[in-house]
Amino acid sequence: MRLVLLGPPGAGKGTQAARISATWQIPHISTGDMLRAAVASGSELGKKVNEIISKGHLVPDDVIGEVVERRLSEEDARRGFLLDGFPRTLPQVGILDRGLAKQGTSLDRVIFLQLDDETAVTRILGRKEDGNGERADDAEETVRERLRVYHTQTAPVANEYGSRGLLAKIDGSRTIDAVFEQIKAALEGIASTGSDDPSESGPGGGR
Ligand code: ADP
């Protein structure tokens, strides 16, 4: 199962990614997490990345492209993966296309978690107030900038996958469980659990 998870900041990508990854046994590859790890390491690259992220802007396509290509060539990603936060621009779509073509594989589905801007802002600022997964780029001004960048740079990515017939649109405004149910329904048919054991029948197995 080779999946991309797409959606604005605050749509719940991280939460759903954890469930998808556990259910289909595919690694959750989050470019945001990888970049934050680079920042935390204090490396030269991390310092540059921090300046960009804290403004709500995107790191250059070639930089993130190389990080993702390297990650996708690791052993655990060979049988499937869930990409979260990549591709985020049309050039990144091209980078992923070429990387997968080299492996002789392709995407199975793009899960598009939809949420309106005001709900997104409310959620992210609420999460900050709870001290729950607080992030340096969660100040309201920066959140609004991330949303602006999302609409100009990432919305075209959804259109592109839509025209390829890969897009599954999911209403991200519902409860965590309800959103996951929609995702399961959207993946039915292509779903293999990633397990080699044929006695396992897949998500919610035994039905
Ligand atoms: P969110 O989607 O909630 O804004 P992420 O954790 O996916 O957060 O990303 C946080 C930040 O990391 C982004 O605002 C951006 O600066 C950087 N980033 C993550 N993925 C990419 C990418 N594919 N290309 C460029 N920058 C990225």
Side-chain angles (χ1 to χ4, degrees):
M1 185 86 104
R2 295 180 176 82
L3 304 173
V4 163
L5 186 55
L6 203 63
K13 295 190 298 288
T15 305
Q16 298 299 331
R19 292 194 172 197
I20 295 165
S21 167
T23 303
W24 282 278
Q25 297 181 16
I26 47 177
H28 170 205
I29 301 176
S30 158
T31 47
D33 286 351
M34 289 195 283
L35 291 172
R36 282 185 288 276
V39 172
S41 79
S43 67
E44 277 311 307
L45 176 69
K47 282 175 196 154
K48 282 187 200 138
V49 165
N50 188 38
E51 252 180 61
I52 298 168
I53 290 189
S54 59
K55 292 193 187 114
H57 296 157
L58 298 181
V59 308
D61 290 329
D62 56 336
V63 173
I64 193 69
E66 203 183 309
V67 170
V68 170
E69 265 210 74
R70 215 178 305 141
R71 181 65 187 87
L72 287 182
S73 67
E74 283 175 35
E75 186 59 35
D76 66 334
R78 288 301 173 88
R79 284 193 314 163
F81 55 77
L82 172 64
L83 268 176
D84 163 10
F86 186 96
R88 225 180 181 95
T89 65
L90 286 176
Q92 291 180 17
V93 172
I95 292 172
L96 181 60
D97 284 340
R98 289 188 292 277
L100 293 179
K102 262 192 245 165
Q103 294 189 358
T105 62
S106 58
L107 290 177
D108 292 304
R109 200 72 103 227
V110 175
I111 301 164
F112 183 26
L113 270 186
Q114 298 178 292
L115 194 71
D116 67 89
D117 285 8
E118 284 321 303
T119 312
V121 172
T122 307
R123 277 193 189 173
I124 293 173
L125 297 183
R127 163 172 95 188
K128 199 175 135 198
E129 217 147 77
D130 296 345
N132 188 357
E134 187 178 344
R135 284 174 19 183
D137 58 352
D138 279 351
E140 178 159 358
E141 277 303 288
T142 315
V143 172
R144 298 224 178 253
E145 180 62 13
R146 280 156 60 200
L147 283 166
R148 201 187 60 74
V149 169
Y150 170 80
H151 288 295
T152 55
Q153 308 264 83
T154 309
V157 171
N159 290 336
E160 169 61 23
Y161 285 129
S163 72
R164 296 185 191 183
L166 284 174
L167 206 63
K169 291 186 188 170
I170 306 289
D171 176 4
S173 71
R174 301 177 57 196
T175 64
I176 292 174
D177 284 343
V179 170
F180 188 58
E181 285 305 314
Q182 294 175 72
I183 292 174
K184 276 203 290 197
L187 296 181
E188 222 152 75
I190 46 167
S192 87
T193 55
S195 163
D196 291 329
D197 180 354
S199 69
E200 279 187 24
S201 57
R207 271 180 304 169

